[in-house]
Structure formats: C-alpha cells, structure tokens
Amino acid sequence: MLCVGHMAEQIEAAFGDGTALGVRIDYSRDGDALLGTAGALKRAERFFAPAALVVNGDTYIDIDLARLARVHAAARRRGAVATLTLARVPDARRYGTVEVEGDRVSAFREKTGAATAGWVNAGVYVIERDLLARVPAGQAVSLERDVFPSALRDGLPLAAFAQDESFADIGTPDDFRAFAAKREAAHVA
C-alpha cells in the first residue's frame, strides 16, 4: 500500500499495480486535500490486520525489519500501540528529538536549534489498528506531531526500537542527491 499525495500521478505511472516488480501495489490517494501522514494511513486502515509496517518515503535507515516486528510483538503483549524506530544523530537541530526510558518512548521534544546529539524519529514503525482508531477520517492529521504525542499524553505505550544504523533525511532533492553521492562513493571505495 502506497499512501500518495503530492505528484501521486508520477508515482503511480512509475510503479503501476506492481506486476512488473513481482508485487501487488494498492494506493491510498489524498486527492485534492492532503491528509498528512496519519490521515493517509486512516484511508488504508483496512490493511492493518491488526498491525502494519509503515515506512516514510522521505527517510532512509538500514534496519532489520524482521527484528523490528519481533520487538513490536513483545511490546504489543505489554500494551504498546506502536513501535517507533529511532536513530541516533550527532546533530539533531533539524529534527524534533525523542526521549526514551528503557524500551519506551517517554517524550517528544520540538526542534530546539541546538547542535546536540539525540534520538530522532527514523520514520519506520509498526502501528496497531487501535491507534488508527484515534484518527478522524478525512482530516489532515500528522502521526509525528498529533497522533504519537497524543497517545503518549493519554497513557498509551509507544515502544522504542533504538538503532545506531545509518540514517538519512532524503526528503528534499538536495538531501537525496547528497545521500546518493555518499552511497555511490561508499560502493566505489
């Protein structure tokens, strides 16, 4: 399932129904009203059985998805409604940071502008359908700014899957070019 909004037509033209890639691709389309990360997932809620792996398209982190699934299964038994992959970055000023206590998310901090190291949301999650029940249909809602902090305030456990793996923000053309150049240089070396 690809949740698409901006330039959705180009994405659908490139990937189609997935047959050429040996997979089946369905689309959750924002249409004229961009719904945000949670609003788009709400449209795809029927695919959460009872949970789903969610990967943002504007970040990259090299993680073991099977391990993430096992960590979430254990966290779900303890009541977690989602497991968030976190990356440790040396300079978190571009991002809001995530505070962790043990294996749980304890708080979200907005961008401070300080050039300090910290845990950041890496954009890879396992999310329970129960968490999506909190999202109003047809409204613009952000997972990161609305749903996760609200769940935490309401006492719903969010598990942390903290990783020291390579993380990159690839959400702008410049960031993506820098990431691609770095990967190419690593393969040449």
Side-chain angles (χ1 to χ4, degrees):
M1 170 61 64
L2 296 179
C3 296
V4 293
H6 181 67
M7 300 175 75
E9 306 79 23
Q10 289 184 9
I11 295 168
E12 290 184 45
F15 296 109
D17 67 0
T19 301
L21 302 169
V23 297
R24 176 181 162 205
I25 298 176
D26 290 304
Y27 295 91
S28 173
R29 296 169 187 84
D30 274 358
D32 292 333
L34 295 180
L35 297 175
T37 51
L41 285 177
K42 182 70 172 182
R43 284 196 171 171
E45 187 173 17
R46 70 185 185 277
F47 292 98
F48 285 66
L53 172 68
V54 175
V55 181
N56 289 359
D58 62 353
T59 58
Y60 173 85
I61 187 165
D62 186 15
I63 64 167
D64 181 343
L65 295 175
R67 185 167 163 243
L68 170 60
R70 288 190 302 274
V71 166
H72 179 72
R76 180 178 53 219
R77 288 191 292 276
R78 294 187 309 274
V81 293
T83 299
L84 288 64
T85 301
L86 308 178
R88 184 93 175 146
V89 297
D91 182 353
R93 80 179 102 186
R94 281 181 68 175
Y95 314 97
T97 57
V98 180
E99 292 184 19
V100 177
E101 290 179 11
D103 61 356
R104 284 189 168 187
V105 171
S106 59
F108 295 95
R109 301 285 176 232
E110 291 300 319
K111 298 175 188 176
T112 64
T116 59
W119 291 108
V120 300
N121 179 345
V124 181
Y125 323 103
V126 178
I127 298 175
E128 294 290 320
R129 186 179 3 195
D130 292 347
L131 184 62
L132 286 184
R134 301 170 60 88
V135 177
Q139 292 185 23
V141 181
S142 167
L143 272 175
E144 301 81 4
R145 287 185 307 278
D146 301 321
V147 176
F148 292 149
S150 172
L152 208 55
R153 279 191 305 274
D154 292 346
L156 297 175
L158 300 175
F161 183 61
Q163 300 294 295
D164 287 320
E165 302 300 328
S166 175
F167 168 78
D169 183 335
I170 57 172
T172 68
D174 287 342
D175 287 341
F176 181 77
R177 280 191 286 275
F179 169 77
K182 185 177 176 181
R183 298 278 295 183
E184 182 64 29
H187 286 4
V188 171

